[in-house]
Every structure is written in structure tokens, then in C-alpha cells.
């Protein structure tokens, strides 16, 4: 479990059984660390709403590995997560100065594409539900049945 802190903009690991944390390191140049999300390859992404950049972060020491400028100015709090099926990164813009908008974010260019206004008055948490393996198997079996039936006609 990873977290970012306002004090010194540091990266932390948090023990989910008791809440204790370990400071993995400060993130020099980061002004306002906000949303965090891991992609399916284990790369940690973080949005810095103070510098309006998307960073990749070294999980061993908190160092910023890469940065790309965002195409839209966001509010002070964002939530973000990767869709486990499409691998697309989604960003919810919330807090003071926000657009109250749900976006997709291209991690290589920093381009935020509006999906629509949330009208939630400051949405900042965002998390996808990972489908259970059994659900995916049943969906696959159903699709295979539909394809088989279509072929027979």
C-alpha cells in the first residue's frame, strides 16, 4: 500500500494491518502530490497538481523517473486509476479550482480527454472494481457460445 504525504511530498509505504508507515523518500521538485495509480506492469504514476505534471515514481526511493506536462489544469485534488480491462487511465478532478470532470489520460503525452462533468462537487477518489476470475471465465464461455451459435447458422 503506497501513499503520498503533504509534508515534504514524500512517498510512503503503509502497513494495512496496523497503519504504520515507512518513508521511502522525498520527491524533489514535486509541489502538490495528489493521485496515485499503478499500471498492470507495476509502474507507479502520480499527478502533481502544483506543477501540472504526470510523473512516474521509483517505489524504492520516491524519485521522479519521468515527467510529462498535463494538457489541462486540474484542481488541488485528483483521483486516478487504470481500468483493469482496457488499461486506460482515468482521472477525476476535484477540490478547489477543479473542473469537476472525469477524464482519460494518455500517459505518454499528458493529454487529458474529457469524458464528462461529474457534478459531484469535488470528486477526488477513483477506483475500479477488478472482476473476479470466475466472472471473466463465465463471460468468455458465454461469448464462445454466442460465436458457436452464429457459426452454425
Amino acid at each position: 500500500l503506497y501513499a503520498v504525504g503533504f509534508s515534504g511530498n514524500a512517498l510512503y509505504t503503509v502497513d494495512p494491518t496496523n497503519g504504520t508507515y515507512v518513508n521511502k523518500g522525498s520527491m524533489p521538485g514535486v509541489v502538490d502530490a495528489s493521485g496515485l495509480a499503478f499500471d498492470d506492469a507495476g509502474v507507479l504514476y502520480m499527478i502533481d497538481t502544483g506543477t501540472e505534471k504526470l510523473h512516474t515514481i521509483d517505489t524504492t526511493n520516491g524519485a521522479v523517473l519521468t515527467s510529462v506536462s498535463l494538457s489541462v489544469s486540474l484542481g488541488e485534488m485528483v483521483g486516478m486509476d487504470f481500468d483493469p480491462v482496457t488499461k486506460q487511465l482515468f482521472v477525476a478532478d476535484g477540490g478547489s479550482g477543479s473542473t469537476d470532470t472525469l477524464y482519460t489520460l494518455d500517459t505518454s503525452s499528458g493529454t487529458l480527454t474529457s469524458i464528462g462533468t461529474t457534478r459531484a462537487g469535488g470528486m477526488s477518489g477513483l477506483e475500479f472494481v477488478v472482476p473476479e476470475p470466475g466472472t471473466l471465465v463465465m463471460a468468455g464461455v458465454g461469448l464462445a457460445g454466442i460465436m458457436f451459435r452464429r457459426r452454425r447458422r
Side-chain angles (χ1 to χ4, degrees):
L1 181 61
Y2 286 84
V4 288
F6 291 115
S7 178
N9 282 313
L11 180 69
Y12 300 93
T13 54
V14 181
D15 184 330
T17 63
N18 61 22
T20 59
Y21 65 91
V22 174
N23 184 328
K24 301 301 280 183
S26 65
M27 298 181 284
V30 172
V31 175
D32 191 4
S34 195
L36 291 174
F38 280 97
D39 69 8
D40 63 343
V43 175
L44 179 59
Y45 289 87
M46 184 268 301
I47 288 181
D48 179 352
T49 57
T51 62
E52 299 178 354
K53 292 190 179 196
L54 174 70
H55 302 293
T56 58
I57 305 296
D58 185 326
T59 58
T60 62
N61 60 19
V64 173
L65 299 173
T66 63
S67 298
V68 63
S69 294
L70 299 174
S71 65
V72 174
S73 294
L74 301 174
E76 64 185 17
M77 296 185 306
V78 299
M80 59 192 234
D81 197 17
F82 284 90
D83 181 321
V85 176
T86 66
K87 313 303 182 207
Q88 177 66 58
L89 180 58
F90 285 80
V91 175
D93 183 22
S96 177
S98 77
T99 61
D100 286 330
T101 302
L102 180 65
Y103 296 97
T104 58
L105 174 54
D106 182 318
T107 59
S108 60
S109 69
T111 301
L112 287 151
T113 303
S114 174
I115 300 297
T117 303
T118 62
R119 295 180 180 84
M123 186 182 295
S124 63
L126 196 61
E127 183 67 29
F128 277 92
V129 175
V130 179
E132 294 182 26
T135 303
L136 294 175
V137 169
M138 291 305 294
V141 168
L143 287 173
I146 291 169
M147 294 305 291
F148 179 74
R149 190 167 189 207
R150 279 188 157 173
R151 273 187 148 182
R152 292 185 72 192
R153 289 184 178 182

